[in-house]
C-alpha cells in the first residue's frame, strides 16, 4: 500500500473509531492531516488531531485507546501530560493527539483543520472556531523582546557550560536561544514569512521562508557548544541590528565582553 493510501486509511479508521466508541463526540484532523493542508503531506507527515469526549467524561474515557485503528499494528502508546497522547504503528507512522472534552481544550489553538466527526450540538465545530480565533490572536511577535531574550539565553547557557552543566547549557543555547532568534527574525521581517509557516511553532519551515539564515542557524547547531553560541550571537547582530534602533546593542556588547567574545 502506498503512503498516501495508508494515510487516508488511517484517517478513515480514526473517524470510524470515534463514531463507534460510546462517549466520543468529535474528531478534528489538524495540520497536514486536514483537507486544507493535504498538499503538504510527505513521507514524514503524521496524524495530528483532537478527539473529543462528551462533557465531563475525559478522565473516564482517556485510559481506553481501543478505538484507535489497526490495534494489532500498534507498537507504542504514551501520554504527554494530562490530555496529550502519542501512538506509533509498526510502519513508524505516528499519531499525536489531544483526547479530552471541549472544556479541557479551552486553550487549544488550530489553523489548518478539518472537522470529521461532530455531535448534533456542533460541539467540535464550535471548539475549532474558538481555537482558530486563539491562534490568530496569539500569532504575533515582539521582536525587540525576543532579541533581548536571545542574549540572555546565550549568556546563561555559556555560563552553565563553563560551570560544567553541559546538558543545561545546551538546552539554553541550542533550544531557547534558537527559538527566540527565530521569533525575533520572523517579527523583524514579518513580510518575508509565507503561508507555509506554522502559527503555533515559528521554527517549523523557517528554512523555507529564510533559507540563508536558516541554513546558517542549522550549521551553527552542528558546532561545539561555545562555537554554536558565538555563531548564534554573530548571526543575531548581523541580521537584526543593522538599521533597527530597537536592537539591544549595549547589552550585546556587555554579553560579548563577559564571555570574552569582544
Amino acid at each position: 500500500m502506498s503512503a498516501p493510501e495508508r494515510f487516508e486509511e488511517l484517517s478513515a479508521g480514526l473517524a470510524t473509531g470515534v463514531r463507534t466508541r460510546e462517549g466520543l463526540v468529535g474528531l478534528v484532523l489538524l495540520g497536514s492531516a486536514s483537507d486544507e493542508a493535504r498538499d503538504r503531506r510527505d513521507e514524514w507527515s503524521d496524524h495530528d488531531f483532537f478527539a473529543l469526549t462528551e462533557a465531563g467524561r475525559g478522565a473516564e474515557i482517556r485510559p481506553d485507546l481501543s478505538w484507535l485503528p489497526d490495534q494489532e499494528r500498534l507498537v507504542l502508546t504514551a501520554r504527554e501530560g494530562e490530555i496529550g497522547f502519542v501512538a506509533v504503528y509498526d510502519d513508524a507512522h505516528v499519531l499525536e493527539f489531544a483526547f479530552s472534552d471541549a472544556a479541557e481544550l479551552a486553550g487549544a489553538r488550530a489553523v489548518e483543520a478539518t472537522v470529521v466527526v461532530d455531535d448534533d450540538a456542533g460541539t467540535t465545530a464550535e471548539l475549532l472556531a474558538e481555537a482558530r480565533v486563539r491562534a490568530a490572536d496569539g500569532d504575533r511577535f515582539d521582536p525587540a523582546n525576543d532579541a533581548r531574550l536571545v542574549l540572555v539565553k546565550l549568556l546563561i547557557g555559556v555560563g552553565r557550560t563553563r560551570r560544567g552543566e553541559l546538558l543545561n547549557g545546551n538546552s539554553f543555547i541550542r533550544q531557547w536561544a534558537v527559538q527566540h532568534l527565530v521569533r525575533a527574525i520572523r517579527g523583524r521581517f514579518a513580510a518575508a514569512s509565507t503561508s507555509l509557516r506554522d502559527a503555533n511553532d515559528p521554527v517549523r519551515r523557517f528554512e523555507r521562508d529564510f533559507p540563508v539564515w536558516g541554513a546558517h542557524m542549522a550549521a551553527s547547531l552542528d558546532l561545539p557548544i561555545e562555537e554554536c553560541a558565538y555563531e548564534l550571537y554573530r548571526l543575531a547582530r548581523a541580521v537584526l541590528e543593522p538599521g533597527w534602533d530597537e536592537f539591544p546593542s549595549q547589552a550585546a556588547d556587555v554579553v560579548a565582553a563577559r564571555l570574552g567574545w569582544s
Side-chain angles (χ1 to χ4, degrees), residues 3-259:
E5 290 172 337
R6 170 68 171 152
F7 202 98
E8 294 295 346
E9 181 187 72
L10 282 169
S11 295
L14 286 169
T16 298
V18 170
R19 289 191 180 103
T20 56
R21 177 27 169 122
E22 187 274 332
L24 295 185
V25 299
L27 174 67
V28 182
L29 297 179
L30 303 166
S32 60
S34 70
D35 292 341
E36 297 173 50
R38 64 184 304 121
D39 292 341
R40 204 173 65 228
R41 290 178 200 161
D42 61 22
E43 63 173 312
W44 298 106
S45 296
D46 54 26
H47 271 83
D48 294 302
F49 60 93
F50 298 151
L52 269 66
T53 72
E54 292 177 346
R57 296 190 63 186
E60 168 199 344
I61 296 177
R62 269 193 288 274
D64 173 28
L65 297 179
S66 64
W67 52 273
L68 293 176
D70 294 354
Q71 286 284 311
E72 72 284 356
R73 296 187 61 179
L74 282 170
V75 297
L76 176 155
T77 61
R79 295 184 73 155
E80 293 187 293
E82 180 63 25
I83 66 172
F85 288 79
V86 292
V88 180
Y89 287 93
D90 58 8
D91 59 359
H93 190 84
V94 177
L95 310 181
E96 291 186 284
F97 56 103
F99 184 17
S100 68
D101 68 13
E104 292 173 305
L105 275 168
R109 297 182 182 184
V111 182
E112 299 150 326
T114 301
V115 174
V116 180
V117 180
D118 204 354
D119 58 11
D120 293 340
T123 302
T124 310
E126 182 179 355
L127 169 72
L128 177 56
E130 294 171 352
R132 281 179 160 149
V133 170
R134 277 189 293 274
D137 290 344
D139 188 23
R140 297 187 178 92
F141 299 101
D142 183 349
N145 193 64
D146 279 306
R148 298 181 198 118
L149 288 173
V150 171
L151 297 174
V152 172
K153 302 307 179 184
L154 292 175
L155 177 61
I156 294 174
V158 173
R160 299 280 168 85
T161 298
R162 291 180 182 178
R163 184 187 284 161
E165 298 179 44
L166 299 180
L167 288 175
N168 189 252
N170 268 284
S171 181
F172 269 89
I173 294 165
R174 301 189 198 272
Q175 180 179 357
W176 297 112
V178 168
Q179 290 190 18
H180 287 296
L181 182 53
V182 164
R183 292 183 62 85
I185 291 173
R186 284 205 183 276
R188 171 90 164 85
F189 305 100
S193 288
T194 69
S195 59
L196 288 172
R197 71 185 183 84
D198 189 321
N200 292 318
D201 183 357
V203 180
R204 292 292 305 276
R205 295 180 286 279
F206 180 80
E207 303 97 317
R208 300 283 293 275
D209 290 339
F210 303 94
V212 174
W213 298 336
H216 190 153
M217 292 173 69
S220 298
L221 296 178
D222 290 332
L223 297 172
I225 185 61
E226 286 213 33
E227 292 178 48
C228 171
Y230 181 54
E231 283 302 309
L232 294 173
Y233 167 83
R234 290 179 60 245
L235 182 64
R237 297 203 77 158
V239 171
L240 298 171
E241 189 170 23
W244 190 37
D245 292 339
E246 292 188 75
F247 187 84
S249 298
Q250 182 181 7
D253 291 340
V254 168
V255 169
R258 177 68 182 89
L259 299 178

